[in-house]
Amino acid sequence: MKKRLFSGIQPSGDIHIGNYLGALKNWVAMARQYDSIFCVVDYHAITIPYDTAGFRSRILHTAAMLMAVGLKPEECKIFVQSHVPEHTELCWVLSTVIQMGHLERMIQYKEKSKQHAENINVGLFTYPVLQAADILIYKAEVVPVGEDQIQHIELSREIARKFNTRFGPIFPEPLEKVSAGARIMGLDGQAKMSKSLGNTIALTDTPEIIHQKLKTAVTDVNRKRRSDTGNPDVCNLFTLHKYFSGSETVDEINKECRNAGIGCIDCKTKLAAHMSAELNPIRERYNAIVSHTEDVVGHLESGANQCREMARQTMGEVRSAIGIR
Ligand code: TRP
């Protein structure tokens, strides 16, 4: 029997290469090895201000992108969190086994509280408990995530442990699988790639846009003139070369940058070509998929039906364990 895998992604708009390298690419690589479930977490997304008008379409488009990067609805389950109400139901029960003090230590909560100081709602605080419920409702054991989510998975383990100790052994303790490309910097070279900072390359960007964006991207800041030698070790674009270009190109650039044999402009043109080669098929599949959103809706419905069945079963066990049934 395959172990169960669960992961989630927020429907927060254009998915970018940071999401791709930090999570999605890894999901595709792992999906078939496990009994895999992938979820568009719409209830998590409403903990920060958002536009209700485009929300449903962002949810569908996010699901479409999961399929475009290579997750196949026949090989794994893909669904929308709010379609399976047991997630929020279990969240309530789990919120009674974890202490406030524990949630107050969550880095993402502290960061988001700073970013949204005018709206530190209770949902922002209990966000990691809903995340634990997402995982535990399916008794998933493996959770592929980016580096920034490690603390939340540790908390999920703590919640599982606390629940099991008090009510009996129902939940396995889930383990995170962090991908190699877990922390991709934005084109400004300053902060993590993030939609809200506008420093991204989206998976839907055309080769022209990719090249255009790379032209303005920050490289080794100490290399001011073409004749200056550069240092690939501090260049964000060299990091991206490692993910998108073959080892031959990487070796060549590593050498030629250091002796000023290649300039940043040519280096960027090469990167744009390699990146486009990898992203083109994804963009094309995406465009084909979103031209038939009724199919996406159908896949999500069938995913939700299968997940609801499993979630109901776990909730039944939870209800008996806590003594209400
Ligand atoms: N919090 C995750 C993120 O921002 C998304 C998420 C929600 C998730 N529930 C999850 C990830 C469960 C893994 C497992 O990336």
Side-chain angles (χ1 to χ4, degrees), residues 11-287:
S12 45
D14 287 354
I15 295 176
H16 53 73
I17 58 170
N19 305 129
Y20 176 65
L21 298 173
L24 301 188
K25 202 173 173 178
N26 208 26
W27 293 9
V28 176
M30 296 174 77
R32 240 175 297 166
Q33 260 170 277
Y34 294 91
D35 174 10
S36 298
I37 306 176
F38 299 105
C39 182
V40 179
V41 292
D42 52 352
Y43 275 158
H44 276 110
I46 66 171
T47 56
I48 56 172
Y50 71 102
D51 168 25
T52 55
F55 197 39
R56 188 181 133 82
S57 124
R58 285 198 299 280
I59 293 165
L60 286 182
H61 288 169
T62 301
M65 188 52 92
L66 297 188
M67 297 171 197
V69 296
L71 296 175
K72 301 199 172 51
E74 315 81 62
E75 290 174 359
C76 59
K77 294 169 193 77
I78 303 174
F79 77 109
V80 178
Q81 187 184 37
S82 66
H83 296 181
V84 182
E86 283 79 4
H87 289 233
T88 44
E89 191 177 357
L90 179 59
C91 176
W92 175 255
V93 176
L94 298 181
S95 74
T96 66
V97 305
I98 191 78
Q99 304 300 304
M100 302 264 295
H102 218 115
L103 294 183
E104 276 158 6
R105 292 202 287 274
M106 293 296 116
I107 296 161
Q108 200 167 67
Y109 167 66
K110 288 192 241 179
E111 281 176 3
K112 286 194 179 171
S113 304
K114 261 189 230 151
Q115 278 167 22
H116 305 282
E118 75 300 334
N119 181 15
I120 307 177
N121 60 81
V122 175
L124 199 59
F125 187 66
T126 47
Y127 179 116
V129 185
L130 180 57
Q131 183 164 349
D134 293 340
I135 300 165
L136 298 181
I137 195 92
Y138 302 108
K139 302 186 180 185
E141 295 179 76
V142 178
V143 187
V145 284
E147 195 188 40
D148 63 328
Q149 293 299 314
I150 296 174
Q151 199 186 24
H152 285 168
I153 312 305
E154 284 167 357
L155 183 85
S156 301
R157 279 200 289 282
E158 180 74 20
I159 290 177
R161 231 173 357 249
K162 289 240 162 77
F163 182 97
N164 292 345
T165 306
R166 179 148 173 228
F167 298 115
I170 290 193
F171 300 117
E173 291 180 25
L175 255 190
E176 67 273 11
K177 283 254 189 206
V178 181
S179 36
R183 197 182 157 83
I184 301 299
M185 300 297 280
L187 298 179
D188 50 8
Q190 299 286 307
K192 200 178 135 174
M193 188 171 281
S194 146
K195 169 139 167 85
S196 59
L197 298 175
N199 60 6
T200 67
I201 290 180
L203 295 187
T204 49
D205 283 345
T206 59
E208 295 72 36
I209 296 175
I210 291 173
H211 197 189
Q212 204 56 45
K213 284 186 176 175
L214 286 179
K215 277 183 189 165
T216 66
V218 174
T219 57
D220 171 4
V221 289
N222 290 318
R223 191 177 187 193
K224 301 206 166 61
R225 279 177 303 260
R226 171 67 182 80
S227 53
D228 292 347
T229 58
N231 180 4
D233 300 334
V234 299
C235 179
N236 187 33
L237 295 201
F238 184 63
T239 306
L240 290 177
H241 264 295
K242 287 186 200 157
Y243 289 111
F244 289 101
S245 312
S247 59
E248 227 170 88
T249 309
V250 170
D251 290 348
E252 180 196 326
I253 286 171
N254 190 21
K255 186 163 140 260
E256 298 298 325
C257 173
R258 286 179 208 279
N259 64 23
I262 185 171
C264 293
I265 293 176
D266 288 340
C267 178
K268 287 173 168 181
T269 303
K270 276 188 205 284
L271 178 58
H274 288 292
M275 205 181 269
S276 297
E278 181 154 350
L279 301 189
N280 278 344
I282 296 176
R283 191 186 66 257
E284 281 159 18
R285 276 197 298 272
Y286 176 80
N287 288 338

